[in-house]
Amino acid sequence: MSTDRRSFIKKAAAGAIGVTLSNGVNALSAKSYSNIIGANDRINLAIQGLGRRYGGYKAPIVDKKNNVRLLYLCDVMKSQRDKAAANFGKDVNYKIKLENDIRKVLADKGLDAVFMATPDHWHTPGAIMAMQAGKHVYLEKPCSHNMHENELLVAAQEKYNKAVQMGNQQRSSAESAQIIKEIHNGIIGKTYKATAFYINSRGEVPVQTKTAPPEGLDWDLFQGPSPRKAYTHNTWDYNWHWYGWDFGTAEMGNNATHELDIARWALGVELPEHVDVRSGKSQYLNDGWEMYDAMEARFTFSDGQIIEWDGQSRNGYNKYGKGRGTIIYGSKGSVFIDRSGYELFDLKGKSIRNSKSDGTEGGMALGGGGDLSTRHAVNFFETIRGKETLTSPIQQGALSQAMTHYANIASKTGKSFEVDVNSGRIFDREAMKHWSRNYEPGWEPKL
């Protein structure tokens, strides 16, 4: 199957093979549902990756009315498996199988779907493996490690026709959906700009030192698709985010995905035609953090609209009054949107309406969970059953993820660049060298 970018964008806008788009969401065709789980049948699940995020899935999984059964807990670290089993064991009356190798899990023909919450470099390869094994996938952000994987992921969904929900759970916020629909209907006039931001005060990170992998860690499987290298102290426990590009996608993939998705959704845009970035490591200058920790990015679209990103990972000065969110500007007013709701302002900056959620979804805590994650998971279950449509189909998720990859490429090269909005390719040869990555032989994701 061709993974030509032009085809990717065309199908992302119009819907994938066997998929229909309606109001920005998708569903498998009625014919395909006749070949999968019945509306009243139990869904058998596995979770791959038992770090900070998996707890966000617990509530919808153990809720009996959702009629799901957790067959497997899979992680390359034994202590993670044991802790997760003890956690779920408090709320289920059956035994869950523990496994370190997702390939053994996917071989179970009785398994229907997988929640994937691994380090970033595993997301696309793992999702493709799951689809090839006939499983539906709830795929945490970032859905891909690079632009090449972005294309492969969408092509795989088209080929295998499985439900693939991206884990940008704010798409399941009733308040966000409501105000964005109103923005599209002109409540703030003609939109021209969105400013998305994330402010955190992450601390100093140890300088990497080579050491033996900790007891219970399958370091080979942790690396998976990434080329093999020696283990460095504490890499496996979250610091993989900041220790180079082998496993992580920096703060753009880690958090910007969420707010940039809201900005793109609100403005009704797809791919930018110009990308400009200022980034660098600006705090704790001599520590082990190898990525940028501050980034300002500007994405310009063909209709003249722009999206600005302001990301400060390790400087907690809160100039926006909140840790994260998105501001949409229009000819008649503006709107502030975050996970807790929205506030509508007129041109004088006067608040004229707000809607606040009574939910529990945290915005800044590691991992988290809450009502939005629960709604997002339940939407995934009900889409598998044919009762709902995905609130974040991978075609839409991949478009938003592309913005984070473009920004990372611009950061790596130190140059702005133009994008062909039809093909998605970058007009700069040096930038295009970062389109994909090197893989461990035999681990290359393939359709």
Side-chain angles (χ1 to χ4, degrees), residues 145-149 152 409 412 431-439:
H145 184 271
N146 51 70
M147 284 299 293
H148 170 64
E149 291 185 356
L152 283 180
I409 291 171
K412 291 174 182 178
M432 280 300 297
K433 292 178 181 178
H434 298 278
W435 191 261
S436 187
R437 65 165 297 166
N438 293 324
Y439 293 92

mmCIF file of all heavy atoms in Angstrom, residues 145-149 152 409 412 431-439:
data_model
loop_
_atom_site.group_PDB
_atom_site.id
_atom_site.type_symbol
_atom_site.label_atom_id
_atom_site.label_comp_id
_atom_site.label_asym_id
_atom_site.label_seq_id
_atom_site.Cartn_x
_atom_site.Cartn_y
_atom_site.Cartn_z
ATOM 1 N N HIS A 145 6.409 8.393 16.374
ATOM 2 C CA HIS A 145 7.700 8.933 16.791
ATOM 3 C C HIS A 145 8.264 9.889 15.752
ATOM 4 O O HIS A 145 9.114 10.732 16.077
ATOM 5 C CB HIS A 145 8.673 7.771 17.017
ATOM 6 C CG HIS A 145 10.012 8.172 17.528
ATOM 7 N ND1 HIS A 145 11.066 8.508 16.696
ATOM 8 C CD2 HIS A 145 10.493 8.306 18.797
ATOM 9 C CE1 HIS A 145 12.132 8.819 17.425
ATOM 10 N NE2 HIS A 145 11.813 8.701 18.699
ATOM 11 N N ASN A 146 7.790 9.807 14.513
ATOM 12 C CA ASN A 146 8.306 10.622 13.417
ATOM 13 C C ASN A 146 7.280 10.650 12.295
ATOM 14 O O ASN A 146 6.262 9.940 12.344
ATOM 15 C CB ASN A 146 9.648 10.076 12.927
ATOM 16 C CG ASN A 146 9.588 8.591 12.618
ATOM 17 O OD1 ASN A 146 8.952 8.170 11.644
ATOM 18 N ND2 ASN A 146 10.214 7.767 13.459
ATOM 19 N N MET A 147 7.525 11.456 11.275
ATOM 20 C CA MET A 147 6.552 11.615 10.203
ATOM 21 C C MET A 147 6.365 10.347 9.379
ATOM 22 O O MET A 147 5.258 10.054 8.916
ATOM 23 C CB MET A 147 6.956 12.782 9.303
ATOM 24 C CG MET A 147 6.671 14.151 9.888
ATOM 25 S SD MET A 147 4.906 14.442 10.219
ATOM 26 C CE MET A 147 4.240 14.456 8.555
ATOM 27 N N HIS A 148 7.419 9.584 9.188
ATOM 28 C CA HIS A 148 7.294 8.317 8.466
ATOM 29 C C HIS A 148 6.298 7.402 9.175
ATOM 30 O O HIS A 148 5.412 6.807 8.537
ATOM 31 C CB HIS A 148 8.665 7.658 8.377
ATOM 32 C CG HIS A 148 8.646 6.250 7.863
ATOM 33 N ND1 HIS A 148 8.233 5.923 6.589
ATOM 34 C CD2 HIS A 148 8.986 5.075 8.471
ATOM 35 C CE1 HIS A 148 8.317 4.609 6.427
ATOM 36 N NE2 HIS A 148 8.772 4.076 7.549
ATOM 37 N N GLU A 149 6.402 7.301 10.482
ATOM 38 C CA GLU A 149 5.470 6.470 11.239
ATOM 39 C C GLU A 149 4.064 7.040 11.199
ATOM 40 O O GLU A 149 3.082 6.287 11.196
ATOM 41 C CB GLU A 149 5.949 6.337 12.684
ATOM 42 C CG GLU A 149 7.209 5.515 12.830
ATOM 43 C CD GLU A 149 7.610 5.288 14.274
ATOM 44 O OE1 GLU A 149 6.944 5.831 15.189
ATOM 45 O OE2 GLU A 149 8.589 4.559 14.493
ATOM 46 N N LEU A 152 2.604 5.656 8.093
ATOM 47 C CA LEU A 152 2.373 4.215 8.200
ATOM 48 C C LEU A 152 1.161 3.902 9.063
ATOM 49 O O LEU A 152 0.392 2.984 8.756
ATOM 50 C CB LEU A 152 3.602 3.536 8.799
ATOM 51 C CG LEU A 152 4.814 3.304 7.897
ATOM 52 C CD1 LEU A 152 5.913 2.611 8.693
ATOM 53 C CD2 LEU A 152 4.431 2.457 6.682
ATOM 54 N N ILE A 409 11.546 18.813 14.100
ATOM 55 C CA ILE A 409 12.502 18.852 12.991
ATOM 56 C C ILE A 409 13.126 20.236 12.876
ATOM 57 O O ILE A 409 14.346 20.387 12.695
ATOM 58 C CB ILE A 409 11.826 18.427 11.674
ATOM 59 C CG1 ILE A 409 11.470 16.941 11.711
ATOM 60 C CG2 ILE A 409 12.738 18.732 10.483
ATOM 61 C CD1 ILE A 409 10.617 16.484 10.543
ATOM 62 N N LYS A 412 15.684 20.618 15.581
ATOM 63 C CA LYS A 412 16.917 19.862 15.323
ATOM 64 C C LYS A 412 17.808 20.555 14.289
ATOM 65 O O LYS A 412 19.036 20.540 14.403
ATOM 66 C CB LYS A 412 16.567 18.454 14.831
ATOM 67 C CG LYS A 412 15.938 17.557 15.875
ATOM 68 C CD LYS A 412 15.494 16.229 15.258
ATOM 69 C CE LYS A 412 14.811 15.340 16.263
ATOM 70 N NZ LYS A 412 14.335 14.068 15.660
ATOM 71 N N ALA A 431 16.055 19.177 6.469
ATOM 72 C CA ALA A 431 14.917 18.842 7.324
ATOM 73 C C ALA A 431 14.353 17.467 6.972
ATOM 74 O O ALA A 431 13.979 16.694 7.864
ATOM 75 C CB ALA A 431 13.840 19.909 7.199
ATOM 76 N N MET A 432 14.303 17.135 5.684
ATOM 77 C CA MET A 432 13.745 15.854 5.264
ATOM 78 C C MET A 432 14.591 14.667 5.732
ATOM 79 O O MET A 432 14.097 13.534 5.787
ATOM 80 C CB MET A 432 13.582 15.815 3.754
ATOM 81 C CG MET A 432 12.324 16.535 3.253
ATOM 82 S SD MET A 432 10.784 15.831 3.926
ATOM 83 C CE MET A 432 10.823 14.181 3.244
ATOM 84 N N LYS A 433 15.848 14.919 6.104
ATOM 85 C CA LYS A 433 16.677 13.837 6.637
ATOM 86 C C LYS A 433 16.133 13.333 7.984
ATOM 87 O O LYS A 433 16.497 12.245 8.426
ATOM 88 C CB LYS A 433 18.120 14.308 6.798
ATOM 89 C CG LYS A 433 18.828 14.581 5.480
ATOM 90 C CD LYS A 433 20.252 15.092 5.718
ATOM 91 C CE LYS A 433 20.951 15.401 4.393
ATOM 92 N NZ LYS A 433 22.318 15.943 4.610
ATOM 93 N N HIS A 434 15.280 14.130 8.609
ATOM 94 C CA HIS A 434 14.712 13.760 9.910
ATOM 95 C C HIS A 434 13.289 13.209 9.770
ATOM 96 O O HIS A 434 12.583 13.085 10.766
ATOM 97 C CB HIS A 434 14.704 14.975 10.829
ATOM 98 C CG HIS A 434 16.070 15.518 11.130
ATOM 99 N ND1 HIS A 434 16.893 14.979 12.094
ATOM 100 C CD2 HIS A 434 16.762 16.539 10.553
ATOM 101 C CE1 HIS A 434 18.031 15.643 12.124
ATOM 102 N NE2 HIS A 434 17.985 16.602 11.202
ATOM 103 N N TRP A 435 12.890 12.889 8.560
ATOM 104 C CA TRP A 435 11.532 12.406 8.319
ATOM 105 C C TRP A 435 11.283 11.063 9.009
ATOM 106 O O TRP A 435 10.197 10.804 9.517
ATOM 107 C CB TRP A 435 11.309 12.264 6.823
ATOM 108 C CG TRP A 435 9.891 12.029 6.409
ATOM 109 C CD1 TRP A 435 9.311 10.837 6.092
ATOM 110 C CD2 TRP A 435 8.877 13.026 6.269
ATOM 111 N NE1 TRP A 435 7.997 11.025 5.753
ATOM 112 C CE2 TRP A 435 7.693 12.357 5.851
ATOM 113 C CE3 TRP A 435 8.838 14.408 6.447
ATOM 114 C CZ2 TRP A 435 6.502 13.038 5.612
ATOM 115 C CZ3 TRP A 435 7.645 15.086 6.210
ATOM 116 C CH2 TRP A 435 6.496 14.397 5.802
ATOM 117 N N SER A 436 12.294 10.216 9.030
ATOM 118 C CA SER A 436 12.170 8.905 9.643
ATOM 119 C C SER A 436 13.253 8.744 10.706
ATOM 120 O O SER A 436 13.775 9.728 11.238
ATOM 121 C CB SER A 436 12.279 7.803 8.578
ATOM 122 O OG SER A 436 12.012 6.529 9.128
ATOM 123 N N ARG A 437 13.620 7.523 11.034
ATOM 124 C CA ARG A 437 14.655 7.249 12.017
ATOM 125 C C ARG A 437 15.337 5.934 11.657
ATOM 126 O O ARG A 437 14.872 5.215 10.762
ATOM 127 C CB ARG A 437 14.051 7.139 13.422
ATOM 128 C CG ARG A 437 13.098 5.953 13.585
ATOM 129 C CD ARG A 437 12.801 5.659 15.047
ATOM 130 N NE ARG A 437 14.010 5.276 15.774
ATOM 131 C CZ ARG A 437 14.089 5.222 17.092
ATOM 132 N NH1 ARG A 437 13.036 5.519 17.845
ATOM 133 N NH2 ARG A 437 15.219 4.879 17.676
ATOM 134 N N ASN A 438 16.393 5.577 12.355
ATOM 135 C CA ASN A 438 17.006 4.265 12.216
ATOM 136 C C ASN A 438 16.310 3.297 13.167
ATOM 137 O O ASN A 438 15.960 3.654 14.293
ATOM 138 C CB ASN A 438 18.497 4.332 12.549
ATOM 139 C CG ASN A 438 19.280 5.138 11.533
ATOM 140 O OD1 ASN A 438 18.982 5.111 10.341
ATOM 141 N ND2 ASN A 438 20.281 5.870 12.000
ATOM 142 N N TYR A 439 16.112 2.066 12.691
ATOM 143 C CA TYR A 439 15.456 1.033 13.488
ATOM 144 C C TYR A 439 16.413 -0.117 13.736
ATOM 145 O O TYR A 439 17.313 -0.379 12.938
ATOM 146 C CB TYR A 439 14.205 0.505 12.772
ATOM 147 C CG TYR A 439 13.105 1.522 12.651
ATOM 148 C CD1 TYR A 439 13.010 2.342 11.517
ATOM 149 C CD2 TYR A 439 12.169 1.683 13.659
ATOM 150 C CE1 TYR A 439 12.007 3.286 11.412
ATOM 151 C CE2 TYR A 439 11.162 2.629 13.556
ATOM 152 C CZ TYR A 439 11.089 3.433 12.438
ATOM 153 O OH TYR A 439 10.100 4.373 12.328
#
